[in-house]
Amino acid sequence: MLLNWKNIFGNTFVLLIARIISKIATVVVMVYIANVLGASLFGLFSAVIALTQFAGLISDFGLVLPIIRNISGNTESHREIVENTFTARMAWSLFALITIILGGSLMKFNLIIVFLLSISSILEYSAIYLIRSFEGKQQIQIITLYTIIERFCFSTFVVLALWKFKTIESVAIAYLISFALMFIFSWRLFKHKVGKIKFQINLEKFKTMTKLGLPFLVTALFSMLYYRSDVLLLSWF
């Protein structure tokens, strides 16, 4: 019992340190973006980011926590549990992408930037989905490793893009490249540790996963609307 508590404390502490490092890196990068782009362009960039984050949230469909819970109760079916939702996530991602682009058009944002950042958000959430599934088996070291690598990759590409080009478009491309690389990394890591994900179309499983994730999605959407609505409204009006 004492050993379990030590493991829990150790895992929690390591993950906490990784997330603190991640937050600090994010703040530093955002300050740098603001300084390079200036107040006006940074305000526009923040509004587009606020909008496109909904793409990742919708594609995720609130399934991370239920999947972690299912894996913790049946660790031998780790691959099958993730596999059951991944094809459905592709459908939700397509719906999210179309919805956010329409929203960007309504708000008169640059649709190329909206498209790039929406894809980035979907890739980010998809990578996190694969990585966080390891929480079900208490393999926190994998999540810690991913968190540190992801922030390093993100920070490096964004800073280099701004240093070289100093435009919102370059930042959007840097977002896309960094999150695409991290999705590939998480996919290959999952394949190595758990197994290859097979794509399959199963309407019954799609309906089941939709019902399972819907309450979590609605909660997450209202939460994000609460924190992001001011940025979107200010940019619109």
Side-chain angles (χ1 to χ4, degrees):
M1 183 70 177
L2 182 60
L3 182 61
N4 287 337
W5 277 107
K6 286 182 177 179
N7 288 337
I8 292 171
F9 177 78
N11 288 337
T12 303
F13 180 75
V14 170
L15 186 58
L16 176 63
I17 294 299
R19 288 185 174 171
I20 289 173
I21 294 172
S22 172
K23 294 296 183 183
I24 292 173
T26 302
V27 170
V28 171
V29 170
M30 287 302 166
V31 169
Y32 182 65
I33 293 174
N35 285 334
V36 174
L37 294 181
S40 179
L41 286 179
F42 182 72
L44 176 61
F45 174 75
S46 298
V48 177
I49 285 289
L51 176 66
T52 55
Q53 279 185 336
F54 284 96
L57 192 63
I58 295 170
S59 72
D60 187 64
F61 217 82
L63 282 173
V64 170
L65 293 178
I67 291 305
I68 292 172
R69 182 184 61 200
N70 288 345
I71 293 171
S72 65
N74 188 6
T75 56
E76 297 300 320
S77 299
H78 187 169
R79 182 183 63 80
E80 288 79 7
I81 292 171
V82 171
E83 190 177 83
N84 286 342
T85 64
F86 217 84
T87 305
R89 285 178 63 88
M90 294 176 65
W92 297 324
S93 296
L94 180 60
F95 169 76
L97 183 61
I98 294 171
T99 302
I100 298 305
I101 288 176
L102 288 174
S105 176
L106 181 65
M107 300 183 74
K108 298 181 180 179
F109 290 152
N110 184 319
L111 293 186
I112 294 177
I113 296 175
V114 171
F115 175 78
L116 292 174
L117 291 176
S118 295
I119 295 292
S120 302
S121 181
I122 291 169
L123 289 171
E124 178 188 12
Y125 274 79
S126 298
I128 291 172
Y129 174 75
L130 289 174
I131 294 298
R132 287 200 63 190
S133 70
F134 289 98
E135 282 187 37
K137 299 166 80 172
Q138 297 187 15
Q139 294 178 328
I140 305 301
Q141 67 277 14
I142 292 177
I143 302 166
T144 303
L145 174 66
Y146 173 84
T147 301
I148 294 172
I149 294 175
E150 186 269 336
R151 280 298 95 174
F152 175 79
C153 181
F154 167 80
S155 302
T156 300
F157 277 100
V158 172
V159 169
L160 286 175
L162 276 172
W163 175 71
K164 182 70 175 177
F165 300 104
K166 298 179 174 61
T167 63
I168 293 180
E169 289 82 0
S170 67
V171 177
I173 292 171
Y175 266 67
L176 180 60
I177 293 173
S178 64
F179 288 125
L181 288 174
M182 292 314 301
F183 175 73
I184 293 170
F185 172 77
S186 64
W187 182 275
R188 291 182 67 86
L189 182 63
F190 187 92
K191 181 180 177 181
H192 174 70
K193 293 286 186 180
V194 183
K196 184 178 181 180
I197 297 175
K198 298 176 182 177
F199 293 98
Q200 52 185 339
I201 298 175
N202 188 315
L203 291 179
E204 286 303 316
K205 287 180 179 178
F206 177 80
K207 291 178 183 178
T208 300
M209 291 301 164
T210 299
K211 290 178 181 178
L212 180 65
L214 189 58
F216 294 93
L217 173 64
V218 172
T219 302
L221 283 174
F222 275 109
S223 177
M224 188 171 285
L225 280 170
Y226 177 79
Y227 287 106
R228 294 292 186 176
S229 58
D230 56 339
V231 178
L232 292 170
L233 289 174
L234 283 171
S235 67
W236 199 357
F237 296 106

XYZ file of all heavy atoms in Angstrom, residues 66-104:
305
model
N -13.471 9.306 -20.299
C -14.104 7.988 -20.331
C -13.168 6.883 -20.834
O -13.201 5.754 -20.332
C -15.280 8.179 -21.294
C -15.592 9.622 -21.234
C -14.272 10.297 -21.051
N -12.318 7.206 -21.816
C -11.401 6.212 -22.357
C -10.343 5.838 -21.321
O -10.000 4.656 -21.157
C -10.749 6.746 -23.650
C -11.774 6.832 -24.773
C -9.574 5.851 -24.069
C -12.505 5.543 -25.064
N -9.821 6.831 -20.597
C -8.851 6.551 -19.534
C -9.473 5.628 -18.487
O -8.844 4.671 -18.035
C -8.369 7.862 -18.881
C -7.537 8.675 -19.868
C -7.548 7.569 -17.621
C -7.183 10.060 -19.363
N -10.714 5.921 -18.128
C -11.415 5.096 -17.139
C -11.598 3.660 -17.647
O -11.375 2.701 -16.901
C -12.777 5.717 -16.827
C -13.581 4.967 -15.756
C -14.939 5.609 -15.594
N -15.695 5.538 -16.844
C -16.726 6.322 -17.143
N -17.097 7.267 -16.296
N -17.372 6.190 -18.272
N -11.981 3.513 -18.913
C -12.172 2.174 -19.469
C -10.865 1.394 -19.530
O -10.834 0.187 -19.248
C -12.771 2.273 -20.876
C -14.222 2.709 -20.858
O -14.874 2.677 -19.816
N -14.730 3.151 -21.992
N -9.784 2.078 -19.897
C -8.483 1.400 -19.991
C -7.993 0.977 -18.615
O -7.423 -0.121 -18.453
C -7.449 2.312 -20.680
C -7.829 2.513 -22.151
C -6.031 1.723 -20.584
C -7.003 3.557 -22.866
N -8.206 1.831 -17.603
C -7.760 1.489 -16.249
C -8.458 0.242 -15.720
O -7.891 -0.506 -14.924
C -8.009 2.662 -15.292
O -9.406 2.915 -15.147
N -9.696 -0.007 -16.187
C -10.412 -1.201 -15.761
C -10.150 -2.409 -16.635
O -10.532 -3.530 -16.277
N -9.507 -2.188 -17.795
C -9.241 -3.297 -18.709
C -7.977 -2.982 -19.517
O -8.051 -2.673 -20.706
C -10.451 -3.491 -19.634
C -10.333 -4.753 -20.473
O -9.405 -5.556 -20.302
N -11.250 -4.918 -21.407
N -6.837 -3.047 -18.849
C -5.578 -2.619 -19.476
C -5.182 -3.478 -20.668
O -4.459 -3.012 -21.554
C -4.429 -2.652 -18.444
O -4.337 -3.972 -17.868
C -4.675 -1.637 -17.331
N -5.644 -4.716 -20.721
C -5.293 -5.601 -21.836
C -5.957 -5.169 -23.142
O -5.518 -5.566 -24.224
C -5.702 -7.048 -21.510
C -4.971 -7.642 -20.305
C -3.468 -7.680 -20.509
O -3.017 -8.002 -21.635
O -2.730 -7.366 -19.551
N -7.002 -4.366 -23.041
C -7.732 -3.934 -24.241
C -7.418 -2.489 -24.612
O -8.240 -1.807 -25.240
C -9.246 -4.096 -24.008
O -9.574 -5.444 -23.763
N -6.249 -2.019 -24.219
C -5.841 -0.639 -24.477
C -6.003 -0.262 -25.952
O -6.656 0.721 -26.298
C -4.375 -0.464 -24.034
C -3.885 0.948 -24.098
N -2.691 1.340 -23.542
C -4.398 2.074 -24.666
C -2.505 2.628 -23.739
N -3.516 3.097 -24.430
N -5.427 -1.070 -26.838
C -5.484 -0.761 -28.270
C -6.910 -0.784 -28.785
O -7.328 0.120 -29.522
C -4.630 -1.755 -29.064
C -4.607 -1.453 -30.576
C -3.814 -2.505 -31.334
N -4.410 -3.813 -31.237
C -5.457 -4.233 -31.967
N -6.017 -3.416 -32.845
N -5.945 -5.438 -31.811
N -7.675 -1.802 -28.404
C -9.037 -1.936 -28.916
C -9.927 -0.780 -28.459
O -10.756 -0.279 -29.233
C -9.652 -3.259 -28.438
C -9.086 -4.495 -29.095
C -7.747 -4.918 -28.515
O -7.316 -4.309 -27.504
O -7.123 -5.845 -29.068
N -9.742 -0.339 -27.219
C -10.557 0.758 -26.694
C -10.282 2.049 -27.468
O -11.206 2.780 -27.852
C -10.285 0.956 -25.184
C -10.816 -0.253 -24.400
C -10.938 2.237 -24.678
C -10.418 -0.266 -22.937
N -9.006 2.349 -27.720
C -8.645 3.544 -28.491
C -9.097 3.389 -29.937
O -9.625 4.319 -30.547
C -7.122 3.788 -28.412
C -6.708 4.900 -29.381
C -6.715 4.144 -26.994
N -8.902 2.205 -30.482
C -9.255 1.926 -31.875
C -10.741 2.127 -32.136
O -11.140 2.601 -33.204
C -8.854 0.486 -32.193
C -8.929 0.097 -33.643
C -8.433 -1.322 -33.854
O -9.234 -2.254 -33.656
O -7.245 -1.485 -34.184
N -11.571 1.786 -31.142
C -13.021 1.895 -31.308
C -13.486 3.328 -31.533
O -14.564 3.561 -32.078
C -13.734 1.327 -30.071
C -13.676 -0.182 -30.030
O -13.408 -0.834 -31.042
N -13.885 -0.753 -28.850
N -12.675 4.287 -31.101
C -13.094 5.683 -31.215
C -12.377 6.448 -32.323
O -12.827 7.527 -32.704
C -12.817 6.435 -29.893
O -11.403 6.450 -29.661
C -13.499 5.756 -28.732
N -11.273 5.906 -32.834
C -10.419 6.728 -33.684
C -11.054 7.055 -35.034
O -10.924 8.175 -35.533
C -9.054 6.069 -33.900
C -7.937 7.070 -33.931
C -7.377 7.513 -32.753
C -7.492 7.606 -35.123
C -6.370 8.470 -32.751
C -6.486 8.552 -35.147
C -5.918 8.983 -33.957
N -11.748 6.104 -35.635
C -12.405 6.383 -36.913
C -13.517 7.409 -36.728
O -13.701 8.312 -37.551
C -12.978 5.094 -37.518
O -11.938 4.112 -37.618
C -13.534 5.351 -38.899
N -14.242 7.281 -35.615
C -15.296 8.252 -35.316
C -14.709 9.640 -35.115
O -15.298 10.650 -35.533
C -16.056 7.817 -34.063
N -13.534 9.708 -34.517
C -12.870 11.000 -34.318
C -12.585 11.688 -35.662
O -12.621 12.920 -35.751
C -11.561 10.811 -33.553
C -11.720 10.538 -32.071
C -10.354 10.311 -31.434
N -9.542 11.513 -31.536
C -9.545 12.492 -30.645
N -10.308 12.406 -29.562
N -8.785 13.555 -30.805
N -12.294 10.899 -36.679
C -12.049 11.474 -38.004
C -13.305 12.167 -38.527
O -13.231 13.252 -39.129
C -11.581 10.385 -38.963
C -10.226 9.789 -38.611
S -9.750 8.428 -39.695
C -9.574 9.282 -41.255
N -14.461 11.545 -38.300
C -15.731 12.148 -38.736
C -16.004 13.430 -37.959
O -16.406 14.455 -38.541
C -16.870 11.154 -38.540
N -15.787 13.391 -36.647
C -15.997 14.589 -35.834
C -15.012 15.698 -36.222
O -15.348 16.872 -36.188
C -15.835 14.255 -34.351
C -16.854 13.276 -33.854
C -18.164 13.183 -34.230
C -16.650 12.249 -32.878
N -18.791 12.157 -33.555
C -17.885 11.566 -32.716
C -15.565 11.834 -32.124
C -18.043 10.506 -31.836
C -15.720 10.771 -31.240
C -16.944 10.123 -31.101
N -13.786 15.293 -36.588
C -12.770 16.277 -36.991
C -13.184 17.001 -38.267
O -13.007 18.218 -38.388
C -11.416 15.583 -37.203
O -10.941 15.027 -35.991
N -13.734 16.252 -39.223
C -14.195 16.852 -40.473
C -15.335 17.823 -40.198
O -15.364 18.938 -40.740
C -14.643 15.762 -41.443
C -15.153 16.238 -42.811
C -14.064 17.019 -43.547
C -15.633 15.050 -43.649
N -16.275 17.409 -39.356
C -17.393 18.290 -38.975
C -16.864 19.550 -38.295
O -17.315 20.669 -38.581
C -18.348 17.542 -38.045
C -19.381 18.421 -37.403
C -20.474 18.876 -38.127
C -19.255 18.808 -36.065
C -21.427 19.704 -37.541
C -20.203 19.630 -35.473
C -21.289 20.079 -36.207
N -15.889 19.378 -37.378
C -15.318 20.519 -36.659
C -14.627 21.482 -37.612
O -14.779 22.704 -37.501
C -14.323 20.024 -35.602
N -13.878 20.935 -38.564
C -13.139 21.764 -39.517
C -14.091 22.614 -40.351
O -13.888 23.825 -40.513
C -12.288 20.871 -40.421
C -11.391 21.577 -41.446
C -10.384 22.470 -40.744
C -10.689 20.554 -42.327
N -15.155 22.001 -40.873
C -16.143 22.727 -41.686
C -16.832 23.810 -40.860
O -17.001 24.949 -41.299
C -17.180 21.746 -42.272
C -16.512 20.805 -43.279
C -18.329 22.515 -42.938
C -17.393 19.670 -43.741
N -17.212 23.444 -39.621
C -17.913 24.385 -38.740
C -17.057 25.601 -38.408
O -17.520 26.748 -38.472
C -18.326 23.681 -37.433
O -19.153 22.552 -37.743
C -19.097 24.633 -36.527
N -15.788 25.367 -38.072
C -14.912 26.470 -37.683
C -14.574 27.359 -38.879
O -14.482 28.592 -38.746
C -13.623 25.932 -37.025
C -13.966 25.169 -35.739
C -12.645 27.058 -36.730
C -14.773 25.966 -34.735
N -14.392 26.768 -40.042
C -14.130 27.581 -41.236
C -15.338 28.466 -41.550
O -15.184 29.647 -41.900
C -13.779 26.678 -42.436
C -12.376 26.083 -42.247
C -13.834 27.471 -43.752
C -11.966 25.112 -43.312
N -16.545 27.929 -41.404
C -17.753 28.741 -41.600
C -17.811 29.874 -40.576
O -18.172 31.007 -40.903
C -18.998 27.858 -41.496
C -19.252 26.894 -42.664
C -20.439 25.984 -42.354
C -19.487 27.657 -43.963
N -17.433 29.534 -39.324
C -17.394 30.562 -38.287
C -16.366 31.639 -38.598
O -16.615 32.829 -38.401
N -15.202 31.215 -39.088
C -14.163 32.168 -39.463
C -14.594 33.066 -40.599
O -14.283 34.263 -40.630
